[in-house]
Amino acid sequence: MDHPIALHLPSKVFCALVAHAGDGGYGPKAEAALCDLIRNWIATTEAAPRPWADDEPDGDDGARTFTKPPLLAPAAVATSVTATAVSRGYQWKQVFLPNGTELRAIHAGRSTYAKVEDEQILSDGAPTTPSRLANLRGCGTRNAWRTVWLRFPGAPRWRRAADCRR
């Protein structure tokens, strides 16, 4: 069972999250958006090394000892700045598409591509939506969740949008 935990967010970040989610306070939409952001960040970034969590027992009694985590090195600070830049993007219903996310729709063997840049989806330099991208070629009644494929920044594989919704 999931239990809520206390989390510190700077007030400006919290207010921006709540305003963007449209909850009027920290409600289900803001919670879902924050959870999606964290899950996406975990899925698209390499896990930090944990040198303080040594699996080898210390001493004769087999007890494990843990030391404090190391202070952030300059490389870790640069990573957190990059993560902040990725926190901007396009909100598509339940799925957040950070800047740099690629979109692809295939119809009759031809692919149409778009990319999230400056918090909007651009295809051939023009703003679009996932639905427009899915229906650019074809009959105009294609479901974008089933038709559009996504590749998040740093991810090696394309994922169907519907699978990212779950």
Side-chain angles (χ1 to χ4, degrees):
M1 177 177 201
D2 286 341
H3 297 285
I5 61 167
L7 180 69
H8 170 76
L9 285 176
S11 60
K12 288 183 179 180
V13 173
F14 176 77
C15 290
L17 170 68
V18 169
H20 190 75
D23 272 346
Y26 188 72
K29 290 180 183 177
E31 179 182 1
L34 186 58
C35 289
D36 287 345
L37 283 169
I38 292 170
R39 284 185 193 107
N40 182 56
W41 179 74
I42 290 170
T44 59
T45 58
E46 187 175 333
R50 301 183 331 143
W52 64 89
D54 189 2
D55 287 337
E56 295 296 319
D58 288 338
D60 295 336
D61 62 357
R64 292 184 181 187
T65 59
F66 296 94
T67 58
K68 284 186 171 183
L71 294 175
L72 286 178
V77 173
T79 301
S80 71
V81 170
T82 302
T84 301
V86 172
S87 69
R88 294 183 183 266
Y90 182 90
Q91 185 71 45
W92 178 20
K93 306 266 184 183
Q94 304 95 325
V95 178
F96 179 74
L97 308 175
N99 284 339
T101 301
E102 297 174 84
L103 294 85
R104 177 179 72 189
I106 303 169
H107 181 69
R110 294 189 64 201
S111 296
T112 305
Y113 293 91
K115 190 171 187 176
V116 179
E117 295 177 16
D118 298 324
E119 301 180 7
Q120 59 184 343
I121 299 172
L122 298 176
S123 178
D124 293 326
T128 189
T129 65
S131 178
R132 279 191 224 133
L133 184 70
N135 291 294
L136 189 62
R137 296 186 176 105
C139 61
T141 58
R142 298 173 63 187
N143 182 324
W145 292 107
R146 286 183 252 166
T147 308
V148 173
W149 291 75
L150 306 170
R151 184 164 58 186
F152 292 98
R157 295 185 181 167
W158 290 91
R159 296 179 59 198
R160 195 167 66 121
D163 296 336
C164 299
R165 219 175 165 185
R166 298 178 190 151

